[in-house]
Amino acid sequence: QSVLTQPPSVSGAPGQRVTISCTGSSSNIGAGYVVHWYQQLPGTAPKLLIYDNSNRPSGVPDRFSGSKSGTSASLAISGLQAEDEADYYCQSYDSSLSGYVFGTGTKVTVL
Amino acid sequence: EVQLVESGGGLVQPGGSLRLSCAASGFTFNNYWMNWVRQAPGKGLEWVANIIQDGSEKYYVHSVRGRFTISRDNTKNSLYLQMNSLGAEDTAVYYCGRVDFSGDAVGHWGQGTLVTVSS
């Protein structure tokens, strides 16, 4: 049972914008720890999408953006494309657990 | 090119042990923190353990403390996970990952190795 909660699924038509929330608490996101986001395509290893709340590694399209406020963070995907169909996970550090935690994961479906 | 290749997975009986390896190449291994992350079949990601560059600091998720040991051999560019007292709840694909950027984002991942605990 993860301490970071994400919606199980989100969907959108090609070209639309979707957002994925990651809700934490005062011992993780709310404590100021950074949030990272990963994309996992079916049958493959995760890939880092956003680090330190809002930064994109080299090669990640600027259609992906991240933000953080209070005890939550969000990942936005604009101009949704079929290749964006994947599972998405947030990650942060939790001081009460003294370790890293991943979100529950969100499946993005392109209609 | 950064490459991480896990090995050592397989079928093991409950209570048994297994040692996973991760061979690193394409970068200066002893400059980076390393992680193990696992994913049970059909489930989400779970951070398992990490280790500092020189191996002097190690951290674990609560559920594996006392049973798993993370280690590294910088002379062999290799990361290890010794897993003892395995239970069905440890069945998962185990990924090794290199920490990049701020110090805790996993920027590079291996392809994973499957561990199945079953009688």
Side-chain angles (χ1 to χ4, degrees):
Chain A
Q1 184 176 353
S2 176
V3 297
L4 300 180
T5 303
Q6 301 177 229
S9 63
V10 299
S11 61
Q16 283 191 329
R17 181 177 187 270
V18 297
T19 62
I20 301 170
S21 60
C22 174
T23 302
S25 67
S26 58
S27 63
N28 42 68
I29 299 175
Y33 296 108
V34 293
V35 178
H36 315 302
W37 289 91
Y38 301 88
Q39 176 193 60
Q40 187 175 31
L41 298 170
T44 70
K47 169 191 171 184
L48 181 64
L49 212 55
I50 297 287
Y51 68 93
D52 292 0
N53 305 325
S54 59
N55 297 291
R56 284 185 307 277
S58 173
V60 173
D62 59 7
R63 303 186 293 104
F64 296 91
S65 62
S67 63
K68 173 187 159 182
S69 178
T71 58
S72 295
S74 291
L75 173 72
I77 311 173
S78 58
L80 197 62
Q81 299 181 3
E83 67 211 48
D84 299 332
E85 276 208 348
D87 293 323
Y88 293 81
Y89 297 90
C90 58
Q91 180 206 3
S92 188
Y93 181 83
D94 190 280
S95 58
S96 65
L97 297 175
S98 298
Y100 294 96
V101 288
F102 285 93
T104 49
T106 298
K107 182 175 181 59
V108 169
T109 302
V110 181
L111 301 173
Chain B
E1 178 193 3
V2 173
Q3 282 203 321
L4 298 168
V5 180
E6 301 94 335
S7 61
L11 176 64
V12 59
Q13 291 191 337
S17 299
L18 212 56
R19 188 197 196 204
L20 305 183
S21 300
C22 173
S25 61
F27 65 100
T28 305
F29 182 67
N30 60 12
N31 282 353
Y32 294 88
W33 279 78
M34 296 295 294
N35 277 269
W36 285 101
V37 175
R38 67 184 178 183
Q39 186 170 35
K43 303 297 184 182
L45 301 172
E46 181 182 36
W47 172 77
V48 175
N50 64 0
I51 186 168
I52 200 171
Q53 288 92 330
D54 66 1
S56 62
E57 294 181 31
K58 308 172 185 182
Y59 302 94
Y60 302 90
V61 68
H62 179 75
S63 60
V64 309
R65 282 177 203 156
R67 299 189 300 123
F68 290 12
T69 302
I70 188 172
S71 63
R72 63 193 296 162
D73 186 337
N74 289 340
T75 66
K76 296 182 178 179
N77 292 337
S78 292
L79 176 72
Y80 305 102
L81 187 67
Q82 176 66 44
M83 305 185 295
N84 299 330
S85 302
L86 285 162
E89 69 276 10
D90 298 313
T91 294
V93 173
Y94 285 73
Y95 297 101
C96 72
R98 189 186 88 173
V99 174
D100 290 325
F101 304 113
S102 67
D104 58 15
V106 183
H108 289 84
W109 298 70
Q111 84 289 349
T113 187
L114 175 62
V115 172
T116 303
V117 184
S118 175
S119 55

